[in-house]
Structure formats: C-alpha cells, structure tokens
Amino acid sequence: MPLTLQEVARQIREALEDPERGEREAWLPIREFLDEFRAADPHTREAMIADRPDPAGDPRFDAYLAALAEYLALRHGLPVPVWVEESNRFLDRWWFPTSFRSLHAMALVESPASFRRRGIFIDHTEFERC
C-alpha cells in the first residue's frame, strides 16, 4: 500500500522528535510519498491525499502537507481535500524550506499558488528527483 499523507505526517513527527534525525530526515517521507504518488493510478492518488493527517509536530510541515495535497489534486484533476482549508494549515510567517538564501527570490516567483497562499515558498526543483 502506498504512503498516505497521514503516514507521512507520522513519520515527520517521529523524525522531528528524534534529535539525531531532526528536520533533515523529516523530508525523507515526503520524497518517498512523491515517488509513490507519481507511480500510482488516479484512484490510489486520491486515497493518498484524502484523509486529514494528524499534526506533524511542526506547523510548517502541517501547512506544507496541505499545500502539497492541494497542489497535487489540482495538477492531477483530483478532488481537493476539505482538510487543506483548515486554519492550522496556514502559516503566519513566511517559510522558505531551502537553506540557500540565494534561492529565496526565485522561490517567491516560482512557488505554486497552493504553497504561496500558505506562506511557503519553494523553487522549481522541489518536485524534481535525481
């Protein structure tokens, strides 16, 4: 069974609670989720994003998962889950997940609307894999 955003949130929470793993490893389940989402059929994709994830332990990741679900739904013609509109899925302060300040200007321009409206700014490489 492919990862759901519920499982991704649980794995993020576990990484954030472990000082040896931390935020760097919190991104790993997101990458795995994206790989599985790409390989899934439309029905499975819808199931992967449909259910509300429990809090991930960091409001930035809660907002990120909502932005991701909305982005993927719109991009693939799936219903946008209702949970993505919950108030705790939006940030009060802008967040640039990259540690490279030189990419911030590009992220302001390139971020998909589902991320920008939540105060999250990513560049075009966010969904690319090596």
Side-chain angles (χ1 to χ4, degrees):
M1 181 70 175
L3 278 175
T4 64
L5 287 181
Q6 286 180 322
E7 177 61 18
V8 170
R10 186 190 65 74
Q11 290 182 26
I12 291 170
R13 188 172 46 256
E14 288 177 0
L16 293 174
E17 289 172 352
D18 183 344
E20 292 183 21
R21 295 172 62 205
E23 189 174 321
R24 190 186 78 234
E25 285 196 31
W27 290 102
L28 297 177
I30 294 171
R31 302 297 175 234
E32 183 180 344
F33 171 85
L34 286 169
D35 288 345
E36 292 183 11
F37 189 89
R38 284 185 193 98
D41 63 74
H43 178 72
T44 302
R45 286 176 173 173
E46 184 176 344
M48 291 171 74
I49 64 173
D51 295 327
R52 173 193 301 110
D54 289 333
D58 183 324
R60 299 173 305 169
F61 282 98
D62 294 335
Y64 186 96
L65 294 180
L68 182 62
E70 181 179 342
Y71 170 79
L72 293 172
L74 293 171
R75 180 142 193 219
H76 295 280
L78 303 171
V80 176
V82 174
W83 63 266
V84 304
E85 295 298 330
E86 295 172 350
S87 61
N88 64 334
R89 303 291 176 170
F90 293 81
L91 299 177
D92 294 330
R93 190 171 178 175
W94 286 6
W95 180 38
F96 295 85
T98 181
S99 59
F100 299 107
R101 291 186 57 85
S102 59
L103 295 177
H104 289 189
M106 187 172 15
L108 284 169
V109 174
E110 294 180 350
S111 291
S114 64
F115 286 84
R116 280 194 320 264
R117 71 190 201 96
R118 287 177 174 80
I120 303 168
F121 297 92
I122 59 175
D123 66 78
H124 71 278
T125 63
E126 185 71 15
F127 303 116
E128 295 176 3
R129 295 287 280 183
C130 297

